[in-house]
Amino acid sequence: MSSWTITPQGKPLRGTVQVPGDKSITHRALIFGALAEGRSTITGYCRGEDCLNTLQAVRALGIEIQEEGSDRLQVMGKGLWGLSEPTSVIDCGNSGTGLRLLAGVLAGQDFFSVLTGDSSLRKRPMGRVVTPLRRMGATIAGRKAGEYAPLAITGGNLRGREYVSPVASAQVKSSVLLAGLLAEGGTTLTEPLKSRDHTERMLQYLGVPLQIDKLTVSLNGRTSFQGASLAVPGDLSAAAFFLVAGSIVPNSEILLPRVGVNPERTGILDVLIQMGANIEVRDSRIESGEPVADLLVKSATLRGVHVGAEQVPKTIDEFPILCIAAAAAEGETRITGAEELRVKETDRIHAMATELRRLHVPAEETQDGLCIQGKATLRGGSFGSYGDHRVAMSLAVAGLIAQSPILIDDVACVETSFPGFLDKLLDLLTNSR
Ligand code: S3P
């Protein structure tokens, strides 16, 4: 099992970091590229394992994808009905997005397919997509009555439905919208709080008409669309580690060019700025239907805040690194209404509370969040990633301000989203004078 040792150096972080392409948008670009008529060109995509698993899944469904250099894909879409029955089980690895979105696509296809994933993904709830997809007419079998993968799907003949999702989840919303695109009639999805809207933006960019009314999205099924150029921005969730590192390591200054700043994703910016962070959002523009900007972070004194339920969906993947910001901040940080964190790649509430206490940061785990007493001196030692890429990267950032070295076990999981993360982080130390 691979591990990292981070030795605090007392040096600032300085330089420019190009973060990987947005993971959420890459999954969607591959899937919509497959369902489009003709060629789509995807640039700046994420080469993490999660997205490469979706790429392989799309290939297993009979779609040709050519890789050009390290940064460009050509997807030869065959239209809504051009996919073919896979001859083997499709393995989505660690990716909830890959599995849940593909479930929506496969529910609409007139063939049999099986979706599975690694041991973490096989423990994550799938009933949240299986229930609406069954209501639309798909036959889905799975462990514990379809609550867990593997999921065996006999798709086709879907009918559009109205579905009110009990969770604010872009994966559920996207799975239902993808099935709705393949269904007869209209599909309407309502969510309790607004989740990321990359699927809606990509559909609109591709020319598929959508009606959006606050928390409700509707589309008419069986609307075909042409392939297009899809430029994937940098992943704000990957940039978040540098935003926090640049904030908490004294005298730092880091530029993060071309990062996605979709307003349903920018909770991390709002919360850090509320904590007193010095972050400039420069040159905001739209690329392939998504807001993009350059981010400049300089170190600052942070103070604790309360992050409540309404901020959770747009901050959902950033809580592990926010916990490290909270540890370095003055005063208390409370996170509430975040029970969804318990069903991520690991139970992130439990993982972060446990590892913060190992860092000698007072942290209390609550049913729906955490309470962290900041400005503690972080102590080094041995830590675990829980097989979760975001926990591993967060602990690496903590290592920069700890009193003594930090050893993090089981860091191979970082490959799922951010190959080369540690080199990029440590390179910033060598740029400092
Ligand atoms: C994602 C949605 C979120 C997020 C995940 C990516 C997406 O999950 O945590 O990393 O691409 O739709 P939920 O939809 O389950 O909240």
Side-chain angles (χ1 to χ4, degrees):
M1 222 180 337
S2 47
S3 63
W4 288 339
T5 302
I6 318 287
T7 307
Q9 306 199 3
K11 287 205 261 176
L13 300 168
R14 285 178 172 264
T16 299
V17 179
Q18 207 79 55
V19 293
D22 188 280
K23 196 151 75 80
S24 289
I25 297 175
T26 302
H27 285 295
R28 288 160 172 82
L30 286 162
I31 290 172
F32 282 114
L35 296 175
E37 311 265 355
R39 176 192 301 252
S40 289
T41 303
I42 306 175
T43 50
Y45 68 101
C46 175
R47 287 188 300 280
E49 283 168 0
D50 278 7
C51 295
L52 296 183
N53 280 321
T54 294
L55 185 153
Q56 291 305 348
V58 167
R59 280 187 174 148
L61 295 167
I63 300 296
E64 187 188 335
I65 303 179
Q66 289 164 9
E67 297 174 50
E68 294 180 353
S70 60
D71 161 81
R72 181 186 291 260
L73 296 173
Q74 305 281 2
V75 182
M76 312 303 169
K78 290 187 178 171
L80 296 178
W81 315 109
L83 304 184
S84 45
E85 183 173 87
T87 53
S88 188
V89 170
I90 291 178
D91 187 351
C92 299
N94 193 240
S95 177
T97 307
L99 198 151
R100 294 188 180 114
L101 269 57
L102 286 168
V105 173
L106 295 172
Q109 303 294 329
D110 188 16
F111 55 66
F112 175 77
S113 55
V114 181
L115 292 169
T116 192
D118 67 10
S119 59
S120 152
L121 188 54
R122 281 183 274 114
K123 286 187 208 122
R124 296 180 63 189
M126 294 301 151
R128 53 181 61 193
V129 294
V130 167
T131 299
L133 297 177
R134 280 182 179 155
R135 277 190 206 163
M136 294 172 81
T139 302
I140 305 180
R143 286 167 47 234
K144 304 271 180 233
E147 184 55 29
Y148 299 108
L151 299 179
I153 304 175
T154 308
N157 290 322
L158 298 190
R159 292 247 302 280
R161 291 263 182 255
E162 280 187 25
Y163 185 66
V164 179
S165 173
V167 275
S169 160
Q171 295 179 2
V172 173
K173 175 170 62 178
S174 305
S175 188
V176 170
L177 291 177
L178 279 160
L181 191 61
L182 299 158
E184 195 188 312
T187 290
T188 297
L189 181 289
T190 303
E191 51 186 346
L193 286 169
K194 181 107 170 151
S195 64
R196 64 189 66 188
D197 62 357
H198 303 305
T199 296
E200 296 93 302
R201 282 176 185 265
M202 201 171 284
L203 280 165
Q204 286 173 320
Y205 177 73
L206 292 166
V208 176
L210 280 187
Q211 291 77 51
I212 303 176
D213 181 17
K214 298 189 189 94
L215 301 174
T216 300
V217 193
S218 310
L219 55 68
N220 285 321
R222 309 198 168 165
T223 313
S224 59
F225 54 93
Q226 299 295 311
S229 274
L230 297 162
V232 181
D235 198 328
L236 181 56
S237 297
F241 300 102
F242 295 91
L243 293 174
V244 171
S247 296
I248 66 177
V249 175
N251 300 316
S252 297
E253 181 169 329
I254 308 173
L255 178 67
L256 299 151
R258 234 194 126 250
V259 178
V261 286
N262 179 310
E264 307 311 331
R265 294 280 297 277
T266 47
I268 182 70
L269 295 178
D270 304 340
V271 175
L272 284 175
I273 288 168
Q274 210 187 329
M275 292 176 88
N278 181 348
I279 300 172
E280 251 182 76
V281 179
R282 293 177 166 179
D283 191 15
S284 298
R285 63 249 187 214
I286 301 282
E287 291 183 21
S288 301
E290 285 282 346
V292 176
D294 304 328
L295 304 178
L296 180 72
V297 57
K298 296 181 187 170
S299 26
T301 305
L302 302 185
R303 51 186 178 271
V305 284
H306 175 214
V307 185
E310 68 294 343
Q311 282 167 296
V312 168
K314 57 168 69 175
T315 319
I316 189 71
D317 291 334
E318 282 61 76
F319 284 100
I321 190 60
L322 259 182
C323 286
I324 305 303
E330 279 169 16
E332 179 179 280
T333 292
R334 268 188 320 124
I335 298 166
T336 55
E339 49 278 277
E340 268 294 297
L341 296 181
R342 295 209 182 267
V343 291
K344 292 294 173 188
E345 285 83 329
T346 188
D347 174 346
R348 287 182 174 158
I349 295 178
H350 178 70
M352 290 313 296
T354 308
E355 299 312 290
L356 283 171
R357 288 194 292 265
R358 282 205 184 129
L359 283 160
H360 272 233
V361 176
E364 193 195 321
E365 175 179 343
T366 62
Q367 183 267 324
D368 67 343
L370 297 105
C371 189
I372 300 162
Q373 305 301 326
K375 220 47 192 173
T377 309
L378 274 55
R379 197 186 280 181
S382 286
F383 299 83
S385 73
Y386 300 72
D388 183 325
H389 54 137
R390 301 201 203 279
V391 173
M393 290 187 274
S394 301
L395 291 169
V397 171
L400 299 172
I401 57 159
Q403 274 181 325
S404 52
I406 277 188
L407 175 90
I408 311 162
D409 264 335
D410 190 11
V411 294
C413 51
V414 171
E415 295 296 309
T416 59
S417 69
F418 201 154
F421 165 77
L422 192 64
D423 287 346
K424 288 205 172 182
L425 185 66
L426 299 184
D427 275 358
L428 294 170
L429 291 166
T430 60
N431 294 334
S432 47
R433 275 157 275 154

